[in-house]
mmCIF file of all heavy atoms in Angstrom:
data_model
loop_
_atom_site.group_PDB
_atom_site.id
_atom_site.type_symbol
_atom_site.label_atom_id
_atom_site.label_comp_id
_atom_site.label_asym_id
_atom_site.label_seq_id
_atom_site.Cartn_x
_atom_site.Cartn_y
_atom_site.Cartn_z
ATOM 1 N N LYS A 46 26.014 11.718 -5.153
ATOM 2 C CA LYS A 46 26.949 10.602 -5.331
ATOM 3 C C LYS A 46 26.466 9.371 -4.563
ATOM 4 O O LYS A 46 26.435 8.250 -5.084
ATOM 5 C CB LYS A 46 28.342 11.026 -4.842
ATOM 6 C CG LYS A 46 29.375 9.905 -4.871
ATOM 7 C CD LYS A 46 30.710 10.394 -4.306
ATOM 8 C CE LYS A 46 31.707 9.243 -4.224
ATOM 9 N NZ LYS A 46 33.009 9.685 -3.637
ATOM 10 N N HIS A 47 26.059 9.579 -3.288
ATOM 11 C CA HIS A 47 25.577 8.452 -2.472
ATOM 12 C C HIS A 47 24.217 7.949 -2.970
ATOM 13 O O HIS A 47 23.948 6.746 -2.920
ATOM 14 C CB HIS A 47 25.487 8.868 -1.005
ATOM 15 C CG HIS A 47 26.815 9.010 -0.335
ATOM 16 N ND1 HIS A 47 27.712 7.975 -0.233
ATOM 17 C CD2 HIS A 47 27.399 10.089 0.268
ATOM 18 C CE1 HIS A 47 28.790 8.389 0.408
ATOM 19 N NE2 HIS A 47 28.631 9.676 0.721
ATOM 20 N N ALA A 48 23.392 8.859 -3.453
ATOM 21 C CA ALA A 48 22.089 8.451 -3.980
ATOM 22 C C ALA A 48 22.272 7.572 -5.218
ATOM 23 O O ALA A 48 21.554 6.568 -5.394
ATOM 24 C CB ALA A 48 21.248 9.672 -4.323
ATOM 25 N N ASP A 49 23.220 7.923 -6.065
ATOM 26 C CA ASP A 49 23.508 7.114 -7.258
ATOM 27 C C ASP A 49 24.030 5.728 -6.852
ATOM 28 O O ASP A 49 23.680 4.716 -7.471
ATOM 29 C CB ASP A 49 24.530 7.819 -8.145
ATOM 30 C CG ASP A 49 23.953 9.059 -8.837
ATOM 31 O OD1 ASP A 49 22.706 9.172 -8.866
ATOM 32 O OD2 ASP A 49 24.743 9.895 -9.305
ATOM 33 N N ALA A 50 24.859 5.706 -5.818
ATOM 34 C CA ALA A 50 25.382 4.424 -5.316
ATOM 35 C C ALA A 50 24.241 3.581 -4.760
ATOM 36 O O ALA A 50 24.231 2.352 -4.911
ATOM 37 C CB ALA A 50 26.435 4.673 -4.243
ATOM 38 N N ALA A 51 23.263 4.243 -4.129
ATOM 39 C CA ALA A 51 22.093 3.526 -3.612
ATOM 40 C C ALA A 51 21.281 2.923 -4.749
ATOM 41 O O ALA A 51 20.792 1.792 -4.663
ATOM 42 C CB ALA A 51 21.224 4.467 -2.778
ATOM 43 N N THR A 52 21.136 3.680 -5.820
ATOM 44 C CA THR A 52 20.406 3.189 -6.990
ATOM 45 C C THR A 52 21.081 1.953 -7.570
ATOM 46 O O THR A 52 20.413 0.970 -7.937
ATOM 47 C CB THR A 52 20.311 4.289 -8.062
ATOM 48 O OG1 THR A 52 19.617 5.418 -7.516
ATOM 49 C CG2 THR A 52 19.566 3.791 -9.290
ATOM 50 N N ALA A 53 22.412 1.991 -7.639
ATOM 51 C CA ALA A 53 23.169 0.848 -8.159
ATOM 52 C C ALA A 53 22.998 -0.364 -7.247
ATOM 53 O O ALA A 53 22.840 -1.502 -7.717
ATOM 54 C CB ALA A 53 24.644 1.214 -8.285
ATOM 55 N N ALA A 54 23.014 -0.119 -5.948
ATOM 56 C CA ALA A 54 22.844 -1.207 -4.982
ATOM 57 C C ALA A 54 21.454 -1.824 -5.102
ATOM 58 O O ALA A 54 21.290 -3.049 -5.033
ATOM 59 C CB ALA A 54 23.072 -0.689 -3.564
ATOM 60 N N GLU A 55 20.455 -0.984 -5.297
ATOM 61 C CA GLU A 55 19.084 -1.482 -5.471
ATOM 62 C C GLU A 55 18.977 -2.333 -6.726
ATOM 63 O O GLU A 55 18.295 -3.363 -6.747
ATOM 64 C CB GLU A 55 18.104 -0.307 -5.531
ATOM 65 C CG GLU A 55 17.915 0.394 -4.197
ATOM 66 C CD GLU A 55 17.159 1.700 -4.310
ATOM 67 O OE1 GLU A 55 17.039 2.233 -5.444
ATOM 68 O OE2 GLU A 55 16.693 2.201 -3.276
ATOM 69 N N ALA A 56 19.670 -1.909 -7.776
ATOM 70 C CA ALA A 56 19.654 -2.675 -9.029
ATOM 71 C C ALA A 56 20.293 -4.044 -8.835
ATOM 72 O O ALA A 56 19.901 -5.021 -9.484
ATOM 73 C CB ALA A 56 20.385 -1.897 -10.119
ATOM 74 N N ASP A 57 21.253 -4.120 -7.915
ATOM 75 C CA ASP A 57 21.918 -5.400 -7.616
ATOM 76 C C ASP A 57 21.136 -6.213 -6.584
ATOM 77 O O ASP A 57 21.539 -7.328 -6.235
ATOM 78 C CB ASP A 57 23.334 -5.146 -7.076
ATOM 79 C CG ASP A 57 24.261 -4.559 -8.136
ATOM 80 O OD1 ASP A 57 23.966 -4.761 -9.329
ATOM 81 O OD2 ASP A 57 25.251 -3.905 -7.765
ATOM 82 N N GLY A 58 20.033 -5.654 -6.086
ATOM 83 C CA GLY A 58 19.230 -6.345 -5.084
ATOM 84 C C GLY A 58 19.812 -6.274 -3.685
ATOM 85 O O GLY A 58 19.404 -7.027 -2.797
ATOM 86 N N ASP A 59 20.776 -5.361 -3.477
ATOM 87 C CA ASP A 59 21.417 -5.222 -2.172
ATOM 88 C C ASP A 59 20.749 -4.080 -1.403
ATOM 89 O O ASP A 59 21.217 -2.937 -1.403
ATOM 90 C CB ASP A 59 22.914 -4.955 -2.350
ATOM 91 C CG ASP A 59 23.692 -5.062 -1.044
ATOM 92 O OD1 ASP A 59 23.063 -5.021 0.030
ATOM 93 O OD2 ASP A 59 24.933 -5.196 -1.114
ATOM 94 N N ARG A 60 19.665 -4.391 -0.719
ATOM 95 C CA ARG A 60 18.894 -3.353 -0.022
ATOM 96 C C ARG A 60 19.654 -2.759 1.160
ATOM 97 O O ARG A 60 19.532 -1.565 1.444
ATOM 98 C CB ARG A 60 17.559 -3.922 0.450
ATOM 99 C CG ARG A 60 16.565 -4.189 -0.666
ATOM 100 C CD ARG A 60 15.239 -4.659 -0.097
ATOM 101 N NE ARG A 60 14.236 -4.847 -1.127
ATOM 102 C CZ ARG A 60 12.991 -5.260 -0.872
ATOM 103 N NH1 ARG A 60 12.629 -5.542 0.370
ATOM 104 N NH2 ARG A 60 12.117 -5.402 -1.860
#
Side-chain angles (χ1 to χ4, degrees):
K46 175 183 175 182
H47 287 301
D49 289 344
T52 300
E55 289 169 344
D57 292 337
D59 191 343
R60 288 184 176 180

